[in-house]
Amino acid sequence: MKKLIALTVTLVFSQPVLAANINTLQNLAQGEFRGFSEDLGSALSYKGVVPAEPLGITGFDLGLEVTQTSLAKSKGLWSKVGTRNIDNLYVPKLHVTKGLPLNIDVGGFFSAIPSTGIKLYGGELRWAILPGSTTLPAIALRGSLTKLSGVNQLSFDTRGVDVSISKGFAMFTPFAGVGQVWTRSNPDASTTLSKETFSKNKYFVGANLNLGISNLAAEYDKTGSADSVSVKLGLRF
């Protein structure tokens, strides 16, 4: 597990992470800004990377997570906004989820780009309306939000709701879900661009492998036109 975590960190930080320079949005036309915002919404919206079953009041999930998003509408635009063109956006996160009473879990993540002021954070509140058992699956409702900060030219946030289902088989728990993501992308007054607000359908499927307290989880997510893959390594009990 330690070797896997070290390998993941090395691979991620050798990639273009989150785009450290977004400072020339005025170079985009309004249609380009819309496509750029849609890809950011897909990449930066909340990814739970957890089964639907609740952790329980003593439960805890802590992990290092990496999300890779294959850009669908902003390829060729990144050089216009202040960085080099990229095909994939990588977002590393520290992710934590805590079980509460009444089959409720609360979670959140934080990401920061070294040597810049750029930060991304988000949170979720999830209620398992069916907690699951040896014979029945778990079903959960979730509300989530994310917020990007440290980009002077852009105020950006997402909100989401989804429903998920999972069923454990010994150490292995597959899960899947559907939902909706709302994005607000507001450029500052130094540009001639207008605010973009929109919603996109969200579909995801994943699996969790628990080895004692060590844990490996992966999730494929399609929000709008962009595909994302997240991997999380850490502890779950």
Side-chain angles (χ1 to χ4, degrees):
M1 179 63 71
K2 291 181 179 179
K3 291 182 179 180
L4 284 173
I5 293 174
L7 178 60
T8 301
V9 172
T10 300
L11 290 174
V12 170
F13 284 97
S14 66
Q15 303 294 333
V17 178
L18 192 59
N21 298 294
I22 301 176
N23 53 25
T24 54
L25 287 175
Q26 65 270 16
N27 291 338
L28 298 180
Q30 188 66 41
E32 292 175 325
F33 179 64
R34 171 61 180 248
F36 181 79
S37 298
E38 287 189 18
D39 273 354
L40 273 186
S42 299
L44 306 186
S45 57
Y46 199 87
K47 316 290 191 295
V49 201
V50 289
E53 63 186 43
L55 284 167
I57 191 170
T58 61
F60 199 76
D61 186 314
L62 174 66
L64 176 65
E65 178 186 330
V66 180
T67 297
Q68 174 201 320
T69 300
S70 299
L71 302 176
K73 296 189 174 182
S74 61
K75 292 180 180 179
L77 298 180
W78 290 83
S79 61
K80 290 187 175 184
V81 302
T83 187
R84 66 183 178 88
N85 281 330
I86 56 175
D87 294 328
N88 300 289
L89 194 59
Y90 293 80
V91 182
K93 309 165 190 172
L94 178 64
H95 205 146
V96 60
T97 306
K98 178 68 180 73
L100 299 175
L102 304 176
N103 298 325
I104 295 172
D105 287 358
V106 62
F109 74 83
F110 177 78
S111 179
I113 307 306
S115 75
T116 77
I118 295 180
K119 298 180 177 63
L120 175 70
Y121 51 90
E124 69 163 304
L125 183 66
R126 181 162 36 91
W127 175 45
I129 56 177
L130 185 64
S133 66
T134 55
T135 57
L136 295 175
I139 299 176
L141 300 175
R142 171 168 50 203
S144 63
L145 56 86
T146 66
K147 174 71 175 177
L148 181 68
S149 66
V151 180
N152 293 333
Q153 284 195 324
L154 185 64
S155 175
F156 189 92
D157 63 82
T158 73
R159 295 161 292 152
V161 295
D162 63 67
V163 58
S164 60
I165 184 170
S166 68
K167 179 67 176 75
F169 301 94
M171 299 178 296
F172 181 71
T173 305
F175 59 90
V178 297
Q180 196 79 8
V181 174
W182 291 265
T183 298
R184 294 184 296 187
S185 183
N186 191 15
D188 75 0
S190 67
T191 76
T192 59
L193 299 170
S194 299
K195 179 181 179 180
E196 292 284 356
T197 59
F198 49 86
S199 65
K200 295 294 181 181
N201 294 328
K202 172 187 178 74
Y203 311 92
F204 59 95
V205 61
N208 189 88
L209 179 64
N210 188 253
L211 304 170
I213 63 171
S214 298
N215 198 74
L216 170 64
E219 178 180 299
Y220 166 79
D221 174 288
K222 187 173 184 65
T223 299
S225 301
D227 302 319
S228 298
V229 175
S230 299
V231 176
K232 183 172 66 175
L233 296 164
L235 307 174
R236 182 180 174 91
F237 52 88

